Amino acid sequence: MPKSPVLSAVRLLLVFGLVFPVYWTIASSFAPETTLFEVPPIVPTQFTLDHYRALFDQRQFWLPMRNSLVVASATTVLAIVVATLAAYALTRLQFRGRTFLLAVVLAVSMLPQVSLVPPLYLGLRAAHLLDTYAGLVLPYLSFALPLSIWLLVGYFRQLPSEIEDAALIDGASRMQALRHVVLPLAWPGIATAAILTFLYCWNEFIFALSFTLGPERQTAPVAIALFRGRYQVPWGEILAAAVVTTLPVVAVVVAFQRRIVEGLTAGAMKG
Amino acid sequence: MPIALDLVSKVFPNGRVAVSNLSLEILDGELLVLVGPSGCGKSTVLRLIAGLETPTSGRILIDRRDMTDVPPNERDLAMVFQSYALYPHKTVAENLAFGLRMRGADRASIDARVRAVADTLQIEPLLALKPAQLSGGQRQRVAVGRAIVREPRAFLLDEPLSNLDPQLRTETRAELGQLHRRLRATMIYVTHDQEEAMTLGDRIAVMREGMAEQIAPPLEVYERPANTFVATFVGSPKMNLLAVTTRVVNAYLMLEGPGFSIEAPPLVPAPGLNVQLGVRPRDAAIVAPEHCDFPARVVLTEVLGHEAIAHVVLDDGRTRMTVVTSADRPPRPSDIVHVRLRRERLHLFAADTGRRLQM
């Protein structure tokens, strides 16, 4: 690429646009309440941990963090296990109504989330699952499964099926072929699906707000939203909460990204 | 171990008929080559035998047992794929060992077998490498090794040489032939290369559009092709087909073509027939004018080194044929040459059906 000064400037601007809000959030979360609205906020003049202290001491923010972690992890694990098996069957096994089933899976995820709230609420209430972890994980699966099934179907499709054929002829059963050959090759796809599912669950708001009744089961996004008092918005604590909520996501992405290695199937086929 | 296909058909869900009412019998220890142009259904036949596809109708017998609905992992066959289909995340040693592991062999015997096969195929130095680190020829060897390490009941080979460069292909072809003789195993070998078919097969089955046009030993297919499709598919350069009519002249049955009239081979049915005269380019020669059957004009000469192929146009200005000639003094374009056909090597086919007319 030629080093044109215009391009460099554009690039710099883009990076700035992406990084600056993050920086602003982090910097502000350590700034005293009184200096939050001073312009420019770029260089922090005073440093304080007040917001974080308030967050964990008064607001007991570890509680929604725990809830979010439990719900998002449980949903991700369940969704990935089920979606992997489903996607494998949908791509490789010959059975009637395969395309139809795939279309249904997609159709389910097309329903606007809000429209699902009333029926799900009634259903969860009848099952006595309101304000429980299961009462969040099950609804979350309604969007997590279609998402991960579609991602994984796409991934399985581009794995050369001859490698599995070879495994079958080598004496492996379908499940053994899946375990010894398909899964090791599908890790990048599975990792991607897991990251996206986790992120989606982590940020989910409407279900979490609707199906929980109090702080005991509220997730982080709901808790943050409820920080607003009648007379004031505690910006410092909200920003501190935003920083704290981002950390597990970064951790998950970093952990799984190691799995996303390009060219894992290189060498299986001809040169 | 004998393998038989009994009136097997395969129609894919999209309506494409890949195999239609095919019956085949592969004898114990035989190497049968399925040869044909791409899309003729030969690979599907192999996948049907392997159990990777289920036939729409018909039965597949392996060792005289009906295996039509038995899954591939219980058929105890081995297959070498055109793409090799090695397990990319496993080392060469693990690739070789996988089939034995799946069949529950103990570690010591797995190790011994892998070593032995690696030794035979001279891939011992590669055992710790991953497929991505191997050259094409090495991958091909590993794929063959993975097939033979299990000592299966039969081998299925799907164009195993087509991804090798020409020189390596000839070498490996000879090795595969030796391997077959040494193992005395039943092998079914799919290729689109008629030369591979001729050199390797105990018998070859020439396929077109899901059907076998001829199943016979290579030499018979070459010398007595069953129809014009087989005749033009097998042999290189490919056989010339000239439109001729039979006519009685002075009590002799003659074949009359554009600009020539020659005596018909024995046992040709009747005069007044339109037939196709098949002449392999090597069975025509450029001779002195007094010995010739007809003159022709050269349009193109391809010199191959040890011989030359002359493309000529016959008297009618339309009919083209090729003649293999010596490369010493090859004719040049627009030369007039004199062609003679070797009488005992002529083939006659019905003009309408393409079927062979002589017995």
Side-chain angles (χ1 to χ4, degrees):
Chain A
M1 212 188 289
K3 287 202 168 176
S4 119
V6 180
L7 263 180
S8 305
V10 169
R11 226 171 286 154
L12 215 67
L13 212 68
L14 271 173
V15 171
F16 179 78
L18 287 171
V19 171
F20 180 70
V22 179
Y23 167 76
W24 195 2
T25 308
I26 297 172
S28 306
S29 74
F30 289 106
E33 194 81 40
T34 45
T35 65
L36 272 183
F37 293 99
E38 282 174 15
V39 178
I42 320 271
V43 190
T45 45
Q46 286 163 290
F47 180 86
T48 172
L49 285 172
D50 282 352
H51 302 312
Y52 289 90
R53 234 173 262 131
L55 195 61
F56 286 101
D57 290 349
Q58 294 153 32
R59 303 235 183 232
Q60 304 207 305
F61 194 65
W62 54 270
L63 205 62
M65 282 297 283
R66 183 197 68 188
N67 294 340
S68 274
L69 271 179
V70 170
V71 172
S73 314
T75 311
T76 305
V77 170
L78 273 175
I80 292 305
V81 170
V82 176
T84 303
L85 294 171
Y88 182 68
L90 285 168
T91 35
R92 288 291 193 260
L93 304 187
Q94 306 278 338
F95 58 87
R96 228 172 243 281
R98 195 165 65 153
T99 358
F100 175 73
L101 212 63
L102 208 53
V104 168
V105 170
L106 186 64
V108 167
S109 55
M110 278 178 190
L111 293 173
Q113 230 189 329
V114 188
S115 70
L116 293 175
V117 170
L120 278 175
Y121 185 88
L122 296 176
L124 291 172
R125 193 176 63 180
H128 300 288
L129 284 177
L130 281 180
D131 210 26
T132 63
Y133 286 143
L136 282 183
V137 171
L138 288 177
Y140 280 14
L141 286 176
S142 72
F143 60 76
L145 272 179
L147 174 78
S148 36
I149 287 176
W150 270 88
L151 272 170
L152 288 173
V153 162
Y155 199 82
F156 282 148
R157 273 206 185 130
Q158 53 99 37
L159 286 181
S161 61
E162 280 197 345
I163 300 180
E164 285 163 69
D165 292 344
L168 294 178
I169 290 176
D170 256 348
S173 64
R174 271 281 167 198
M175 285 313 278
Q176 282 173 320
L178 184 67
R179 193 177 130 219
H180 293 288
V181 175
V182 181
L183 285 188
L185 298 179
W187 263 120
I190 293 175
T192 311
I195 289 179
L196 287 176
T197 306
F198 187 87
L199 281 180
Y200 216 35
C201 298
W202 188 259
N203 293 326
E204 203 285 330
F205 180 71
I206 299 172
F207 284 177
L209 181 69
S210 314
F211 305 145
T212 56
L213 304 176
E216 204 43 49
R217 287 291 180 265
Q218 268 162 3
T219 59
V222 178
I224 296 174
L226 298 179
F227 278 3
R228 293 161 161 273
R230 184 179 297 198
Y231 302 109
Q232 60 142 340
V233 180
W235 283 115
E237 282 160 47
I238 288 177
L239 290 171
V243 173
V244 170
T245 332
T246 311
L247 291 179
V249 177
V250 173
V252 165
V253 171
V254 168
F256 275 93
Q257 207 156 36
R258 294 177 172 210
R259 290 287 191 179
I260 308 179
V261 194
E262 288 293 329
L264 212 53
T265 54
M269 312 312 255
K270 57 188 173 186
Chain B
M1 190 196 53
I3 294 174
L5 271 68
D6 181 18
L7 288 172
V8 169
S9 293
K10 175 69 187 179
V11 184
F12 283 109
N14 62 11
R16 196 170 69 82
V17 181
V19 180
S20 107
N21 282 328
L22 180 70
S23 290
L24 263 185
E25 210 165 325
I26 302 106
L27 309 175
D28 187 23
E30 182 184 33
L31 197 161
L32 179 85
V33 179
L34 297 175
V35 67
S38 51
C40 72
K42 54 193 193 298
S43 286
T44 309
V45 171
L46 213 59
R47 293 176 61 84
L48 284 165
I49 297 172
L52 298 170
E53 306 281 356
T54 327
T56 317
S57 64
R59 293 187 311 153
I60 292 164
L61 303 158
I62 300 176
D63 213 4
R64 298 187 186 82
R65 270 184 53 214
D66 187 346
M67 298 285 245
T68 314
D69 297 313
V70 175
N73 52 331
E74 289 164 30
R75 295 195 184 194
D76 196 19
L77 305 171
M79 187 156 166
V80 178
F81 292 86
Q82 182 178 11
S83 64
Y84 310 145
L86 301 176
Y87 310 125
H89 56 299
K90 294 179 185 289
T91 64
V92 169
E94 287 164 351
N95 263 280
L96 295 180
F98 185 73
L100 297 169
R101 261 178 60 208
M102 288 297 111
R103 284 184 161 73
D106 65 274
R107 184 163 295 184
S109 75
I110 292 178
D111 257 23
R113 297 264 284 277
V114 169
R115 292 267 157 221
V117 166
D119 187 45
T120 337
L121 294 175
Q122 296 162 354
I123 49 174
E124 264 179 322
L126 313 176
L127 283 178
L129 301 181
K130 294 266 178 79
Q133 296 163 282
L134 307 180
S135 72
Q138 290 170 329
R139 283 178 204 172
Q140 202 273 346
R141 275 168 185 280
V142 175
V144 170
R146 188 173 63 178
I148 62 176
V149 74
R150 263 174 36 219
E151 297 170 13
R153 300 201 286 178
F155 292 90
L156 311 173
L157 301 111
D158 189 4
E159 310 221 9
L161 305 180
S162 62
N163 288 325
L164 302 178
D165 57 69
Q167 197 199 337
L168 197 55
R169 196 181 305 166
T170 326
E171 284 173 31
T172 318
R173 191 174 74 197
E175 281 178 25
L176 280 179
Q178 281 174 5
L179 192 71
H180 172 241
R181 279 189 288 281
R182 194 165 58 76
L183 298 174
R184 296 173 185 284
T186 310
M187 288 189 177
I188 304 173
Y189 188 108
V190 161
T191 181
H192 63 265
D193 179 354
Q194 51 90 24
E195 195 178 302
E196 251 171 70
M198 295 291 289
T199 48
L200 276 175
D202 293 326
R203 284 189 303 156
I204 68 183
V206 183
M207 290 192 62
R208 175 172 61 163
E209 289 170 8
M211 287 182 273
E213 298 284 329
Q214 186 171 12
I215 307 174
L219 214 56
E220 191 184 326
V221 171
Y222 185 81
E223 289 178 343
R224 305 178 52 78
N227 53 41
T228 48
F229 175 77
V230 176
T232 50
F233 188 78
V234 172
S236 172
K238 80 176 196 182
M239 186 188 280
N240 300 294
L241 291 174
L242 309 171
V244 297
T245 47
T246 55
R247 200 152 75 96
V248 178
V249 178
N250 297 335
Y252 285 107
L253 188 62
M254 306 296 284
L255 300 174
E256 302 204 318
F260 67 90
S261 175
I262 60 172
E263 199 179 322
L267 296 174
V268 167
L273 283 177
N274 287 321
V275 295
Q276 296 192 74
L277 173 65
V279 185
R280 293 202 184 275
R282 274 173 229 286
D283 297 333
I286 292 174
V287 295
E290 59 271 26
H291 300 302
C292 88
D293 291 323
F294 53 86
R297 192 168 48 84
V298 176
V299 283
L300 172 74
T301 310
E302 296 168 292
V303 180
L304 303 178
H306 57 296
E307 61 187 20
I309 301 172
H311 296 248
V312 300
V313 177
L314 269 55
D315 208 30
D316 63 352
R318 285 184 295 120
T319 311
R320 282 169 166 253
M321 70 177 287
T322 53
V323 178
V324 171
T325 177
S326 149
D328 293 343
R329 290 174 54 215
R332 284 197 232 157
S334 77
D335 281 2
I336 299 294
V337 293
H338 298 88
V339 180
R340 181 173 175 81
L341 310 177
R342 285 177 67 180
R343 296 293 187 276
E344 70 280 14
R345 293 288 191 90
L346 299 180
H347 308 264
L348 284 176
F349 305 97
D352 47 354
T353 59
R355 203 143 342 125
R356 184 179 187 83
L357 288 176
Q358 300 126 300
M359 285 299 107

